[in-house]
Amino acid sequence: MQNPFKPTAGATPPELVGRAGLLDEFEYGLQQGSGAPGLLTIITGSRGIGKTVMLSAAEDIARAQGWAVISRTATPGFLARVGDDMLRLLEELGDGPPARKITAFSAAGFGLTTQLPPERAVDWRRTGQELLRVLDSKGTGLVITVDEIHAVDRTEISQLAADVQHFIRDGLPIGLIFAGLPSAVSDLLNEGVATFLRRADRINLHEAAIAEVTTSFSQLFSQGGITISHDLISEAAEATEGYPFLIQLVGYYLWLEADKAGWTLDQASVQRAIATAQRRNTLVVVESALSDISDRDRQFLDAMATQDGPSAAGQIGAVLKAKPNVVSKYRNRLIAAGLIESAGYGKVDFAIPGLRQYLRQ
Ligand SMILES: Nc1ncnc2c1ncn2[C@@H]1O[C@H](COP(=O)(O)OP(=O)(O)OP(=O)(O)O)[C@@H](O)[C@H]1O
Ligand SMILES: [Mg+2]
């Protein structure tokens, strides 16, 4: 049997651990149609927590219900590409060419600017309306997903939001799902560029419970005919800290070790797998997360790393010799960036596994 684990960004894992029920509201929204709250959803969470995979899961649900799906990553010019996708869908649906002849949105060079010129924005909206009317007549609708909204200029996001709001007002069947780091989303909502998005359903992704990881590992290993003791499975599950990327890495290297050793895993091979998984996690996630933060942010994290569990704001302030309002400013910034998370009243903890150990070295 092939190694089922997928330690690659965006790759759908063999099982979505700890995500039961999260897309129920969205699924219900698809049944209700235009204006249902679940059709407007924002997925947030730290790096590697599984945002892209959740978007794919939502897309699958939408397709299964007969909805059309446009899936884009928010790189400059993405709005023009969504326009092109809409044109293509209109053609595919076979109701003849759009009423007015509209040429591709990005081909004319608009794709690289962050804003459609006003006359093209009108075309964009008209194309959307036309497509949505066709889909509506078939009893379905359109879901647009936009990943990594932290990576793009606000103008495009707010233009998309304004158009979608328009479609909703017209009673057209449209769904919109964004995914991004918490920082992007709080900025977006605070800047007032797209106030109607404040009503969106928020799905904030967290680590899975260790017990669920244990169950998932047990099932997958037994399906693969791998012999491993319950204690060793628990040890491996523990090492993932419930963090999706590490679940895939640990699972992947356990499978690889089992393959080498006649499909049996002992203590030594489990430990080797865990060590390899943690090294890769550091390389891929931790170093990239730290690459774009300021020196002061780094000092804040270093102060946290001197402690074993969650850190109180007061303790961090003492190490940094900073006033509470300054500490709180950095705290909010690091939470928004998905590096730390609040851990009870006045305390914070690391949101990325391996970060503490890395900072200590
Ligand atoms: N619920 C889950 N259970 C198990 N593994 C998961 C789950 N969600 C995601 N994964 C795995 O975790 C890894 C990261 O997932 P994904 O790329 O969706 O994260 P992300 O939040 O989009 O990360 P980034 O911030 O880097 O874009 C992938 O290897 C994926 O297969
Ligand atoms: Mg992603």
Side-chain angles (χ1 to χ4, degrees):
M1 194 174 155
Q2 286 265 322
N3 195 326
F5 292 95
K6 296 276 181 278
T8 307
T12 296
E15 195 194 349
L16 277 183
V17 183
R19 301 291 184 244
L22 285 184
L23 290 172
D24 285 359
E25 183 88 14
F26 170 71
E27 192 164 3
Y28 183 70
L30 292 170
Q31 287 151 18
Q32 301 309 307
S34 183
L39 288 181
L40 207 56
T41 294
I42 303 182
I43 298 169
T44 54
S46 51
R47 286 165 206 269
I49 204 77
K51 298 179 292 298
T52 302
V53 161
M54 280 297 271
L55 280 183
S56 305
E59 290 163 13
D60 289 347
I61 291 174
R63 285 196 196 94
Q65 301 226 6
W67 284 52
V69 173
I70 289 177
S71 165
R72 285 287 170 187
T73 297
T75 49
F78 83 92
L79 197 56
R81 287 189 288 277
V82 170
D84 288 343
D85 292 339
M86 293 193 305
L87 278 176
R88 206 168 310 124
L89 278 170
L90 256 179
E91 252 166 71
E92 272 171 29
L93 286 167
D95 279 41
R100 258 171 81 262
K101 182 72 194 143
I102 297 173
T103 50
F105 288 93
S106 30
F110 302 123
L112 290 177
T113 62
T114 58
Q115 214 171 357
L116 288 171
E119 67 282 5
R120 298 295 278 157
V122 172
D123 284 346
W124 194 101
R125 187 175 288 183
R126 195 172 293 146
T127 307
Q129 271 165 350
E130 209 164 323
L131 173 63
L132 289 168
R133 283 203 189 101
V134 173
L135 289 167
D136 196 22
S137 72
K138 296 177 188 295
T140 66
L142 171 71
V143 170
I144 301 177
T145 70
V146 186
D147 199 2
E148 298 190 19
I149 56 168
H150 45 268
V152 82
D153 191 288
R154 296 273 170 272
T155 33
E156 278 191 275
I157 296 281
S158 57
Q159 193 177 340
L160 174 64
D163 287 325
V164 165
Q165 183 171 24
H166 218 87
F167 298 149
I168 293 174
R169 212 181 292 147
D170 288 347
L172 293 169
I174 179 92
L176 180 64
I177 313 188
F178 283 145
L181 292 175
S183 56
V185 172
S186 41
D187 288 357
L188 192 69
L189 300 184
N190 291 336
E191 278 170 18
V193 282
T195 40
F196 104 109
L197 288 177
R198 290 192 189 147
R199 278 175 264 141
D201 208 29
R202 292 285 289 272
I203 300 180
N204 196 9
L205 297 177
H206 292 287
E207 302 88 310
I210 305 298
E212 290 182 284
V213 182
T214 309
T215 309
S216 175
F217 276 174
S218 297
Q219 272 167 8
L220 291 166
F221 291 138
S222 94
Q223 278 163 21
I226 293 170
T227 311
I228 176 173
S229 76
H230 187 74
D231 282 355
L232 287 177
I233 288 187
S234 298
E235 190 180 327
E238 205 80 57
T240 68
E241 297 176 52
Y243 183 74
F245 189 48
L246 263 177
I247 297 175
Q248 298 310 308
L249 282 171
V250 169
Y252 186 84
Y253 288 110
L254 284 171
W255 200 279
L256 187 150
E257 290 290 337
D259 198 349
K260 284 196 290 195
W263 304 106
T264 301
L265 284 166
D266 61 10
Q267 177 81 38
S269 41
V270 168
Q271 251 141 29
R272 245 191 330 268
I274 291 175
T276 312
Q278 284 168 341
R279 256 199 318 277
R280 274 215 71 84
N281 176 64
T282 304
L283 218 65
V284 177
V285 181
V286 177
E287 290 184 351
S288 96
L290 289 178
S291 65
D292 51 358
I293 66 168
S294 75
D295 288 349
R296 202 67 179 147
D297 288 336
R298 179 64 186 259
Q299 286 166 11
F300 188 110
L301 296 176
D302 284 336
M304 283 176 64
T306 60
Q307 274 134 42
D308 281 329
S311 314
Q315 293 170 313
I316 299 168
V319 177
L320 295 182
K321 300 190 176 54
K323 294 206 180 84
N325 61 331
V326 176
V327 172
S328 132
K329 186 180 117 197
Y330 286 100
R331 172 183 181 276
N332 293 342
R333 226 166 60 182
L334 288 165
I335 288 180
L339 285 161
I340 65 174
E341 57 196 9
S342 141
Y345 187 73
K347 290 192 169 181
V348 285
D349 205 351
F350 292 105
I352 297 180
L355 185 51
R356 187 193 313 273
Q357 293 85 322
Y358 183 87
L359 291 166
R360 282 179 176 178
Q361 279 157 19

